[in-house]
């Protein structure tokens, strides 16, 4: 029997007293509605500018769409979080403050922040507004998380995807801040808030411009050797006929290493999938599961949300007999990056 099945979630005060929440991505109003309609407890979104870490053309919300989305979600009992999780430019911090003012005016349930200066602004001006520490804040220990609680009243922290399960449990045991962890979605090299790869090649990064590998720097070209993807002129990958092509981020490119090897030198394209870890996460008191993918379609959001809703309900209802259904795994693998999944750092087989 898998050890997962022997866990007793009823022993976890947080799990039994407060239900685990499912937090789903909304890159557009249709995606928000798909998440709400398929069982999300919370959705997260951003404005159409550099104040959030998914600043891609065609994504995100204007004020009218946020107002409509908040109304649609609240009428159905779903909370709305706004991500303001990039770092204000030293020369012009006002757009971030204006965005936070809009969030408060539009009635979102929480703002997801990374910058301490913006947290100070929010705490002083809107003391009743919930503050969540973004994964971009890169807080990997309870001392850092408690610092944000003590100074700014942060009530939830999203943990970076670099911690093992034991480390997640250690953090939860030493903080009153709610802990949210990633459950499903594309992985990066897991240095949230500290990655400079995109900036190195294009001059723009998710930390300050809200975009990794900006589309304006992306080029595709059919060549006699195959389909090539380039980022600001740098060859990222070359695909054989019929091979699925991924979005050209530097961390997931295939490069020549040595004289005769070409492979994913930094990281393979893959998605995190923690369905099998749900009993452990529930038992240790994880407050919320986050689904990655604001850049993905409403169909993706609907499909992933439905699977995770069923899984969380099944695990909460009977953790002793919980096991991921084959149909759930197959459904998630259909939309996983590279159509493969991993437990990432939670198990750290490579440590």
């Amino acid at each position: 029997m898998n050890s997962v099945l022997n866990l007793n979630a009823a022993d976890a005060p947080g799990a039994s007293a407060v239900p685990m929440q499912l937090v789903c991505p909304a890159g557009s109003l249709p995606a928000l509605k798909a998440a709400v309609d398929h069982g999300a407890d919370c959705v997260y979104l951003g404005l159409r500018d550099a104040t959030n870490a998914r600043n891609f053309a065609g994504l995100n919300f204007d004020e009218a769409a946020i107002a409509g989305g908040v109304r649609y979600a609240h009428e159905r009992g779903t909370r709305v979080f706004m991500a303001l999780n990039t770092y204000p430019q030293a020369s012009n911090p006002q757009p971030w403050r204006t965005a936070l003012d809009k969030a408060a005016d539009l009635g979102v349930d929480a703002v997801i922040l990374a910058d301490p200066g913006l947290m100070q602004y929010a705490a002083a001006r809107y003391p009743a507004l919930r503050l969540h520490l973004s994964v971009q804040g890169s807080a990997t220990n309870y001392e850092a998380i408690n610092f944000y609680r003590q100074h700014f009243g942060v009530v939830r922290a999203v943990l970076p995807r670099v911690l093992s399960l034991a480390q997640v449990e250690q953090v939860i045991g030493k903080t009153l801040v709610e802990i949210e962890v990633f459950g499903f979605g594309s992985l990066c090299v897991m240095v949230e808030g500290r990655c400079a790869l995109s900036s190195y090649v294009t001059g723009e990064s998710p930390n300050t411009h809200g975009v990794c590998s900006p589309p304006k720097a992306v080029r595709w070209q059919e060549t006699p050797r195959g389909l090539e993807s380039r980022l600001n002129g740098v060859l990222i990958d070359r695909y054989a006929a019929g091979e699925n092509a991924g979005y050209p981020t530097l961390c997931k490119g295939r490069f020549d290493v040595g004289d005769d090897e070409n492979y994913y030198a930094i990281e393979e394209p893959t998605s995190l999938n923690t369905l099998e870890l749900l009993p452990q996460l529930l038992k240790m008191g994880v407050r919320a599961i986050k689904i990655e993918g604001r850049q993905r379609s409403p169909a993706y959001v609907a499909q992933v949300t439905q699977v995770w809703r069923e899984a969380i309900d099944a695990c909460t209802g009977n953790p002793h007999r919980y096991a991921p259904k084959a149909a759930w795994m197959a459904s998630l693998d259909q939309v996983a990056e590279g159509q493969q999944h991993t437990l990432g750092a939670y198990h750290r087989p490579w440590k």
Side-chain angles (χ1 to χ4, degrees):
M1 179 180 292
N2 190 310
S3 60
V4 167
L5 302 180
N6 295 324
L7 295 172
N8 184 2
D11 293 338
S16 58
V18 183
M20 175 185 278
Q21 292 181 345
L22 177 60
V23 183
C24 295
S28 66
L29 188 55
L32 180 149
K33 292 181 178 179
V36 171
D37 293 347
H38 288 81
D41 296 302
C42 320
V43 296
Y44 62 101
L45 49 75
L47 289 166
R48 291 174 178 163
D49 56 32
T51 60
N52 80 94
R54 287 291 182 273
N55 181 25
F56 288 92
L59 284 185
N60 299 318
F61 291 68
D62 58 20
E63 292 181 49
I66 292 177
V70 169
R71 184 168 55 251
Y72 188 89
H74 284 178
E75 287 174 353
R76 291 156 180 81
T78 305
R79 297 176 177 86
V80 178
F81 305 156
M82 182 183 289
L84 300 170
N85 56 347
T86 52
Y87 290 86
Q89 299 284 341
S91 60
N92 185 23
Q94 189 56 44
W96 280 261
R97 295 177 181 176
T98 301
L100 203 142
D101 294 338
K102 289 178 183 177
D105 291 343
L106 290 166
V108 302
D109 299 281
V111 287
I112 307 170
L113 308 177
D115 180 66
L118 197 59
M119 290 180 197
Q120 185 174 35
Y121 177 85
R125 182 159 296 207
Y126 306 104
L129 182 61
R130 282 176 63 96
L131 306 186
H132 292 189
L133 177 63
S134 171
V135 67
Q136 291 293 106
S138 211
T140 55
N141 57 74
Y142 72 88
E143 290 97 337
I145 292 169
N146 287 341
F147 173 89
Y148 287 109
R149 177 177 182 269
Q150 177 183 351
H151 291 277
F152 310 115
V154 164
V155 295
R156 179 177 296 188
V158 185
L159 292 186
R161 289 161 282 187
V162 298
L163 302 182
S164 66
L165 278 181
Q167 290 170 327
V168 173
E169 187 169 26
Q170 288 167 354
V171 170
I172 291 174
K174 294 185 177 180
T175 183
L176 296 176
V177 175
E178 299 171 359
I179 295 301
E180 182 175 313
V181 300
F182 280 86
F184 182 81
S186 296
L187 282 175
C188 63
V189 289
M190 301 182 291
V191 285
E192 287 97 342
R194 303 173 184 175
C195 183
L197 289 174
S198 176
S199 182
Y200 174 71
V201 174
T202 71
E204 295 186 2
S205 78
N207 308 325
T208 52
H209 296 82
V211 60
C212 170
S213 307
K216 64 185 180 184
V218 172
R219 295 291 183 273
W220 299 90
Q221 185 177 11
E222 288 284 0
T223 75
R225 301 178 64 185
L227 176 65
E228 292 184 352
S229 61
R230 292 179 180 270
L231 187 64
N232 203 25
V234 176
L235 180 61
I236 299 297
D237 215 332
R238 182 181 294 119
Y239 300 93
E243 187 179 10
N244 291 327
Y247 189 81
T249 58
L250 193 60
C251 59
K252 295 179 181 176
R254 283 181 287 197
F255 301 100
D256 292 335
V257 179
D259 295 329
D260 55 4
E261 289 189 88
N262 179 277
Y263 62 97
Y264 294 107
I266 301 177
E267 183 182 33
E268 291 188 9
T270 186
S271 285
L272 179 72
N273 182 358
T274 65
L275 273 185
E276 67 180 88
L277 302 180
L278 261 178
Q280 288 106 314
L281 298 173
L282 189 66
K283 178 178 178 175
M284 65 178 63
V286 166
R287 183 70 179 88
I289 298 290
K290 191 182 200 76
I291 306 299
E292 187 271 349
R294 278 194 289 142
Q295 74 280 21
R296 303 293 290 268
S297 69
Y300 164 93
V301 172
Q303 187 168 335
V304 176
T305 301
Q306 182 171 354
V307 167
W308 276 86
R309 177 76 277 152
E310 292 179 14
I312 290 175
D313 289 348
C315 186
T316 303
N318 195 347
H320 301 287
R321 295 187 177 278
Y322 171 84
K325 294 181 179 178
W328 296 343
M329 301 298 279
S331 180
L332 295 182
D333 278 347
Q334 286 178 352
V335 294
E337 188 173 12
Q339 296 188 319
Q340 59 182 343
H341 65 261
T342 174
L343 290 174
Y346 287 123
H347 274 194
R348 286 189 170 180
W350 33 265
K351 185 175 180 181

